[in-house]
Amino acid sequence: MFITINDNELYYEIHGNPDGETIFFIHGAPGLSDCRGDIKAFSPLGDTYRLVFMDMRGSGRSGGNPPFTHEQWTADIEEMRKTLVGGPIKILGGSYGGFLTLEYVLRYPENVTHVLLRDTSANSEFDHLSVDRALESNLPGITEEGIRRLFDGKVASNKELREMFTAIQPLYTVEFDAEAVQARLDSIYYRYETHNFAFRYNKPAFNLVPDLHKISVPTLVTVGRHDWITPVVCSELIAEKVPDSKLVIFENSGHSPQQEENEAYIKLIREFLNTDSLMEKKI
């Protein structure tokens, strides 16, 4: 379905229990990702919850009217909440979507009951670890110039964005499925302008660490042990600074434990939302 939000057309889908409490899902990788991955991973929660998925401004099937700032993206989420729910929501964000989820709860704290973060970060302090990991991998297609253009938001075209994203795919998962990855690469809506703005202008100044203590709602922080792009240290820092937070590390996953260890991940979410009393642990 499409809806006009803040003068921009957004694609969204609502799944699950129409009478259940609402969870918003915020995808990562602006200009590369969309809500389809979250729909696949989190649909089992629909037996209990009302699930709202959307393609963010400038990504997937949504319109691409700028700006692609965190302020604009969180304003879009807030307008969607007002339109589709009215009351408070639970919100789950992964990777770059976790940046926006943290931004959202800090900007609109009264409208969130639970925060769920997946493989994300609260600043750009550890980006160099990801660059180093990519360069040390010796994967074909990865060059220092190319990886820095990707991280600096200086990609020249959708073709270049696809080439670089293809090259780094083996870094994302513990078990690499070439056929599945190729199918995903072929299905992506490549939007290099969105990616460039996010990485060139948003990320260099991104630092929410000084404000994390203000988050007062229950917060679940999850990460794959082998995550290369937002390594474990990023989640450890968030869990250290958010007062009512729980950190769970998925030992057999890379950047996407919600896919790589789906059954355990869904079980964890149910436990967290039902009890709010998880101890820090490893899976």
Side-chain angles (χ1 to χ4, degrees):
M1 296 180 284
F2 289 92
I3 187 172
T4 298
I5 294 290
N6 296 327
D7 299 319
N8 187 76
E9 190 175 62
L10 294 183
Y11 178 84
Y12 74 102
E13 296 186 20
I14 300 177
H15 293 248
N17 185 349
D19 300 317
E21 296 179 337
T22 301
I23 308 175
F24 269 43
F25 295 85
I26 312 302
H27 69 77
L32 279 165
S33 190
D34 56 59
C35 68
R36 288 173 294 175
D38 283 344
I39 291 172
K40 181 178 180 181
F42 297 112
S43 286
L45 295 169
D47 59 355
T48 303
Y49 299 99
R50 180 174 181 246
L51 314 177
V52 175
F53 305 92
M54 72 185 87
D55 291 357
M56 299 302 291
R57 177 185 298 252
S59 292
R61 292 146 289 190
S62 288
N65 295 334
F68 306 124
T69 60
H70 290 188
E71 181 178 9
Q72 182 63 66
W73 277 323
T74 53
D76 290 346
I77 297 169
E78 173 61 3
E79 196 60 32
M80 286 285 281
R81 183 200 66 80
K82 289 179 182 178
T83 303
L84 300 179
V85 184
I89 59 172
K90 309 175 195 306
I91 186 167
L92 188 158
S95 196
Y96 201 106
F99 302 176
L100 301 181
T101 295
L102 286 170
E103 291 258 15
Y104 181 81
V105 70
L106 288 168
R107 291 175 186 269
Y108 307 99
E110 68 280 4
N111 297 331
V112 179
T113 66
H114 297 75
V115 174
L116 301 96
L117 302 169
R118 193 269 304 163
D119 297 83
T120 191
S121 183
N123 62 18
S124 297
E125 177 183 359
F126 304 105
D127 282 3
H128 67 281
L129 298 178
S130 304
V131 172
D132 290 346
R133 174 76 179 277
L135 294 176
E136 291 166 0
S137 70
N138 294 317
L139 286 168
I142 295 181
T143 64
E144 182 167 2
E145 179 185 3
I147 201 71
R148 294 199 183 280
R149 284 170 63 83
L150 186 69
F151 272 78
D152 292 343
K154 297 180 179 180
V155 177
S157 65
N158 285 331
K159 180 176 181 292
E160 182 183 350
L161 182 59
R162 174 169 180 152
E163 288 173 350
M164 282 307 307
F165 195 52
T166 299
I168 61 179
Q169 285 306 297
L171 297 171
Y172 279 95
T173 57
V174 173
E175 296 183 8
F176 182 68
D177 184 336
E179 185 175 341
V181 168
Q182 187 60 54
R184 178 168 175 261
L185 290 168
D186 291 341
S187 73
I188 289 174
Y189 299 91
Y190 294 92
R191 311 278 290 273
Y192 80 98
E193 299 95 340
T194 309
H195 166 86
N196 280 350
F197 194 99
F199 279 75
R200 186 184 299 189
Y201 300 109
N202 296 343
K203 279 191 101 274
F206 177 64
N207 182 16
L208 301 180
V209 173
D211 295 319
L212 292 180
H213 70 279
K214 299 176 184 177
I215 298 176
S216 60
V217 297
T219 300
L220 177 64
V221 184
T222 63
V223 63
R225 172 63 72 186
H226 308 284
D227 188 349
W228 79 283
I229 193 73
T230 49
V232 171
V233 65
C234 301
S235 290
E236 290 175 335
L237 179 59
I238 295 172
E240 175 189 338
K241 299 296 184 180
V242 176
D244 188 10
S245 66
K246 310 295 184 288
L247 173 64
V248 179
I249 300 173
F250 284 79
E251 295 293 333
N252 299 309
S253 292
H255 188 57
S256 300
Q258 83 284 6
Q259 297 172 356
E260 296 171 86
E261 298 181 70
N262 180 258
E263 185 175 340
Y265 201 95
I266 295 298
K267 180 181 178 182
L268 174 66
I269 291 177
R270 293 187 191 277
E271 291 175 354
F272 173 72
L273 294 179
N274 285 336
T275 67
D276 300 342
S277 61
L278 289 179
M279 298 296 291
E280 178 174 337
K281 65 179 182 177
K282 300 174 182 178
I283 289 184

